[in-house]
Amino acid sequence: MNQSALKVEAVGKRFQLGATESYTTLRESLVRFGKAPWKATRTRRNNDNPTIWALEDISFDVDHGEVLGIIGHNGAGKSTLLKILSRITEPTRGSIEIRGRVGSLLEVGTGFHPELTGRENIFLNGAILGMKRVEIRRKFDEIVAFAEIERFLDTPVKRFSSGMYMRLAFAVAAHLDPEILLVDEVLAVGDLAFQNKCLRKMKDVSSTGRTVILVSHNMGAIHRLCPRCLLLDHGRLAMDGPTEDVVRAYIAHGIDEVGIVTQPPAPRKPIHLRRAYTATREDNHQRDFRFDEGLSIVVEFEVNREIADCAVWVGLRTVEQVWVLGSTDSDSDESRLGTRNPGYYRTQLDLPASWLNAGMYEVVVGINRQSPAKSFDRVEVGTFNILDVDTPSRLRTGQSRPGVLQPFLDWQQHQLAADEPALLEDPGEHHD
Amino acid sequence: MTAEERSNATELPVTHIRPTSGLVSLKLGELWEYRELLFFLTWRDIKVRYKQTALGAAWAILQPLLTMLVFTIFFGRLAKIPSDNVPYPLFAYTALLPWQLFAYSMSQAGNSMVASQQLIKKIYFPRLVIPISAVLGGLVDFCLAFVVLIGMMFYYQVVPTQGILLLPFFILLALATALAVGLWLSALSVKYRDVRYTLPFLTQFWLFITPIAYPSSLVPEKWRILYGLNPMAGVVEGFRWALLGKSGAFGPMILASAVAVTVLLIGGLAYFKSLERTFADVV
């Protein structure tokens, strides 16, 4: 007997390319119809627009109470799959059987209205997410407490800070009580404390026997919440297994693409970023680095007109969206803040070897002017991996260790003699 | 899984998702399940409409009142358009009530799908909820303006006949017309953004072919059924008959209007439903 909460069989979804011109004007259609009325619609469907399979032949089962993660690079089809499961869009082929009520959380705060108060939005958003009025009333106090917005209940949410707004939105969603919960990337919001609160709440939800499907780039969250994970690659199911293995495969094989950005010349901008990538010290473009191997972030930019007070910067963050560092090219030579002459430049930021912990990192580069403040470029370069080989913890204990950095640090230590005063007294008391 | 859980699992509602093809059913049962969402969306529209407006709900009364004033001066006094022996202000205002309900609801419904695209792309619910809630939002203004009508009837000492019992039917007819046109326009607007520009023109054009400033009795008898194919003609004359008790023998005309609305509404529902599955991809 089939008792899966969710049974997905050979699901595929085809999209028409050229989505930007997907809505036409009536005139175009009329003209087309006027020219050849007998094939007005057919022509367009078959020839004009090439199609692409955003998802192809996806099959999997999810048991009741299971928490399933879905990972994959951008455009792999994760969100499309979630949209099909939540019935927002239809599959082109295949079938899905779902046992239980489905609640989907593809965006935090869907349907929030800025003019309405916090109280009003709780009811509105609850209804949009599929809660009954009595249900919302019952959970109202809990939602308000979770969001920590008691004092602002009767303020229009347009006056909320973005943090408050997100907290309220998540609070409503977190109190949704369906048998099956579909969640997309909503944990990437709010400050760290609130993110952890959300993760705990998700964990509670899953421990009460609910089925959860979670799409995320946040490998930390996936690790903590989901024992099992799917890996999507170009619309196909590349892997289905224990999260540990799937995440490792995702990272090791660098299924995430390229990690190099190039931009065409922009003669009208005074200064313009042309190329950025991660590389070995010898300037070979690469995305996977050994722990004990240094890596460089290379940025090429073009100065079209003399410009002063500009800096090229590099930002580094973990895939959990925690910033590791920000650095500018004027840090090591302040004269770079002076006038830059036209020309094509390459600059290279070297990150030390045996320093970043194993894991995946994201690189952002950009060019800013300090005053008047202006951002000329801000580009996501992509990700790179530090492989978990020869790190201190692996070498000593064979296990991985938490943290963003894992440098070899010096510990000074010696044995104390029996009569030495040690730390019995607080050194602060000796001040006067 | 324990035995208890297993028996629970079999009781859970089962949803099947597969590509639909051919004719789609209306799924009115599902619409009923989402009635609370319908209520909240309507409530939101009403609530938001008058936030940050200086005059607030007074707008609901001012619009028909001022239009009536202008009509009375130019059409009633200066152009001396007949008004079936009813004081012209009352004659015009009685017609403006359902007209404004219709015009407002139609344009709200027509724009509703594009206005709610964020929702459509992120949440599943029967899409019909959106135009229907937009149409219902017009009722509050209507009720407010209706209070003024009651006052005017006292002033002119006009007593309604039993025909007033049929008033809800005419209100329903006005809403159905707004929904029917709104369904067509909102479904079209997902694909063709022209609709936004069509609406003001359509409303104005429709105003002139509806007997608001003039009585239908100006239209020769043999053309009245044809004239009734404009559903709003039937609604307006129905209102006058129900409230002012003037029997202009518009029965066949009103019947023609009812038939026209039914056809328009069924067509609109079918068209809307046939496009529903692609809304989230296209909008």
Side-chain angles (χ1 to χ4, degrees):
Chain A
M1 191 165 61
N2 162 36
Q3 287 297 343
S4 305
L6 206 85
K7 196 174 175 62
V8 178
E9 268 175 283
V11 161
K13 172 79 183 176
R14 188 177 53 200
F15 277 115
Q16 296 214 321
L17 283 184
T20 44
E21 40 150 33
S22 63
Y23 57 85
T24 30
T25 61
L26 198 53
R27 187 179 59 96
E28 278 173 51
S29 287
L30 290 177
V31 166
R32 200 175 300 120
F33 185 79
K35 278 181 183 158
W38 57 91
K39 59 174 185 181
T41 50
R42 201 154 295 150
T43 315
R44 183 164 181 84
R45 212 170 279 162
N46 291 347
N47 303 335
D48 283 17
N49 276 340
T51 56
I52 184 174
W53 286 90
L55 281 179
E56 237 182 317
D57 200 25
I58 304 282
S59 300
F60 61 94
D61 277 23
V62 186
D63 281 332
H64 285 282
E66 199 175 357
V67 182
L68 178 76
I70 301 180
I71 58 176
H73 65 81
N74 289 332
K78 300 174 305 243
S79 298
T80 306
L81 180 58
L82 224 49
K83 279 190 175 180
I84 291 174
L85 293 179
S86 49
R87 290 200 287 167
I88 292 166
T89 175
E90 259 191 11
T92 312
R93 58 168 71 135
S95 69
I96 297 161
E97 199 179 277
I98 300 175
R99 276 167 201 278
R101 283 193 310 150
V102 176
S104 63
L105 199 47
L106 303 200
E107 181 188 65
V108 161
T110 310
F112 261 44
H113 200 291
E115 297 284 348
L116 297 178
T117 66
R119 182 191 305 277
E120 290 164 341
N121 267 307
I122 290 177
F123 279 93
L124 176 64
N125 191 232
I128 286 171
L129 293 175
M131 280 193 244
K132 298 261 172 272
R133 210 176 338 170
V134 283
E135 202 179 336
I136 304 169
R137 203 163 287 150
R138 202 178 60 231
K139 293 178 180 163
F140 187 83
D141 293 337
E142 223 178 304
I143 293 175
V144 174
F146 188 90
E148 305 162 20
I149 56 143
E150 288 89 344
R151 285 171 43 224
F152 305 98
L153 259 185
D154 295 304
T155 310
V157 298
K158 66 178 175 187
R159 293 199 228 291
F160 277 29
S161 72
S162 60
M164 281 160 63
Y165 184 93
M166 282 304 175
R167 286 208 303 274
L168 178 62
F170 189 88
V172 182
H175 290 81
L176 196 62
D177 238 0
E179 280 93 16
I180 301 167
L181 188 61
L182 310 172
V183 186
D184 190 3
E185 206 66 82
V186 289
L187 296 167
V189 299
D191 52 37
L192 209 59
F194 189 70
Q195 274 186 29
N196 284 328
K197 195 169 173 182
C198 296
L199 284 177
R200 271 200 307 280
K201 182 75 192 174
M202 299 273 303
K203 196 125 197 156
D204 289 351
V205 168
S206 58
S207 64
T208 54
R210 315 233 167 259
T211 311
V212 180
I213 297 185
L214 172 68
V215 163
S216 184
H217 281 117
N218 183 335
M219 296 298 146
I222 293 266
H223 255 299
R224 269 196 272 174
L225 292 169
C226 318
R228 179 182 155 209
C229 199
L230 303 183
L231 173 60
L232 293 187
D233 182 34
H234 291 100
R236 291 178 167 279
L237 187 57
M239 206 172 164
D240 175 355
T243 298
E244 191 74 34
D245 300 347
V246 176
V247 171
R248 189 171 299 139
Y250 176 62
I251 290 170
H253 295 297
I255 287 173
D256 204 350
E257 256 135 47
V258 286
I260 182 165
V261 231
T262 50
Q263 300 197 119
R268 298 176 61 181
K269 282 164 74 175
I271 185 164
H272 177 58
L273 191 137
R274 291 295 304 277
R275 206 150 81 108
Y277 54 92
T278 50
T280 60
R281 284 275 190 272
E282 294 75 39
D283 195 23
N284 295 315
H285 169 53
Q286 190 171 308
R287 296 191 50 246
D288 299 307
F289 300 89
R290 287 196 325 276
F291 169 75
D292 56 2
E293 173 182 37
L295 76 110
S296 302
I297 295 161
V298 180
V299 182
E300 294 172 11
F301 60 96
E302 199 165 16
V303 179
N304 294 313
R305 287 193 297 280
E306 277 190 6
I307 184 160
D309 212 16
C310 278
V312 178
W313 57 266
V314 169
L316 190 64
R317 62 175 183 236
T318 68
V319 284
E320 287 91 1
Q321 308 299 309
V322 177
W323 287 101
V324 178
L325 61 85
S327 182
T328 72
D329 68 343
S330 56
D331 289 351
S332 60
D333 181 355
E334 214 169 320
S335 73
R336 292 187 182 125
L337 283 177
T339 305
R340 290 179 195 251
N341 294 315
Y344 195 100
Y345 298 85
R346 153 193 295 247
T347 181
Q348 179 173 334
L349 170 68
D350 291 339
L351 298 176
S354 304
W355 184 61
L356 280 172
N357 200 355
M360 191 186 267
Y361 297 87
E362 298 176 352
V363 181
V364 192
V365 301
I367 303 176
N368 275 14
R369 185 174 60 203
Q370 325 274 328
S371 70
K374 182 176 170 62
S375 166
F376 290 105
D377 270 300
R378 186 187 197 281
V379 182
E380 305 265 342
V381 180
T383 56
F384 66 85
N385 305 304
I386 302 287
L387 302 177
D388 198 2
V389 183
D390 297 338
T391 53
S393 58
R394 282 274 175 219
L395 288 176
R396 305 289 186 273
T397 63
Q399 282 174 351
S400 55
R401 211 178 263 174
V404 175
L405 302 179
Q406 211 191 120
F408 287 96
L409 298 174
D410 265 345
W411 290 62
Q412 306 288 344
Q413 101 180 228
H414 63 276
Q415 192 172 12
L416 300 183
D419 58 341
E420 246 177 291
L423 289 170
L424 294 177
E425 291 167 90
D426 183 350
E429 285 177 13
H430 291 286
H431 266 298
D432 35 359
Chain B
M1 220 191 277
T2 66
E4 193 193 356
E5 274 174 320
R6 195 168 300 130
S7 70
N8 278 344
T10 48
E11 284 162 24
L12 292 173
V14 179
T15 315
H16 292 276
I17 304 175
R18 49 174 65 96
T20 52
S21 53
L23 283 175
V24 267
S25 76
L26 275 179
K27 294 195 189 151
L28 289 178
E30 196 186 24
L31 200 59
W32 177 245
E33 272 175 47
Y34 280 84
R35 62 190 181 279
E36 288 206 344
L37 179 60
L38 184 67
F39 165 81
F40 273 112
L41 290 181
T42 310
W43 167 83
R44 175 198 66 184
D45 288 347
I46 294 166
K47 197 113 196 178
V48 166
R49 192 175 334 147
Y50 293 119
K51 284 214 174 183
Q52 284 211 344
T53 57
L55 295 177
W59 279 113
I61 296 168
L62 275 178
Q63 286 174 48
L65 216 54
L66 291 176
T67 317
M68 177 210 60
L69 212 66
V70 171
F71 277 20
T72 305
I73 293 169
F74 288 95
F75 295 127
R77 287 285 150 78
L78 300 178
K80 302 240 183 318
I81 287 174
S83 56
D84 289 346
N85 300 323
V86 175
Y88 191 89
L90 194 58
F91 171 84
Y93 193 83
T94 312
L96 280 167
L97 271 189
W99 170 258
Q100 300 235 322
L101 173 65
F102 163 74
Y104 180 80
S105 298
M106 173 183 76
S107 71
Q108 287 299 104
N111 286 322
S112 62
M113 290 300 283
V114 173
S116 310
Q117 48 178 304
Q118 278 320 99
L119 225 50
I120 293 169
K121 279 193 266 191
K122 295 292 180 189
I123 294 281
Y124 172 79
F125 53 90
R127 305 311 188 198
L128 269 176
V129 166
I130 289 178
I132 293 178
S133 76
V135 164
L136 293 181
L139 274 175
V140 173
D141 282 11
F142 174 80
C143 291
L144 289 172
F146 199 85
V147 175
V148 175
L149 178 71
I150 294 173
M152 284 175 69
M153 286 171 73
F154 268 109
Y155 178 80
Y156 287 106
Q157 300 191 335
V158 174
V159 182
T161 58
Q162 310 105 311
I164 199 169
L165 294 176
L166 276 175
L167 195 66
F169 166 75
F170 293 115
I171 297 174
L172 208 64
L173 205 61
L175 290 176
T177 313
L179 180 64
V181 183
L183 282 175
W184 280 99
L185 292 178
S186 62
L188 277 168
S189 71
V190 170
K191 224 174 157 191
Y192 308 106
R193 292 298 201 265
D194 307 48
V195 168
R196 203 178 338 174
Y197 307 109
T198 321
L199 263 168
F201 170 72
L202 185 69
T203 315
Q204 195 184 35
F205 179 77
W206 207 316
L207 175 73
F208 290 124
I209 60 165
T210 304
I212 292 168
Y214 57 90
S216 309
S217 51
L218 284 187
V219 177
E221 188 108 33
K222 56 178 175 174
W223 296 110
R224 288 223 187 119
I225 290 187
L226 190 67
Y227 187 58
L229 288 182
N230 165 12
M232 285 314 290
V235 169
V236 163
E237 286 308 340
F239 257 70
R240 284 191 182 131
W241 169 76
L243 289 166
L244 310 179
K246 293 292 147 193
S247 78
F250 295 119
M253 193 178 110
I254 291 170
L255 201 66
S257 292
V259 171
V261 171
T262 312
V263 172
L264 204 60
L265 188 60
I266 291 173
L269 282 169
Y271 184 62
F272 189 91
K273 271 287 171 182
S274 73
L275 289 183
E276 186 175 38
R277 73 188 94 141
T278 60
F279 281 155
D281 299 337
V282 179
V283 75

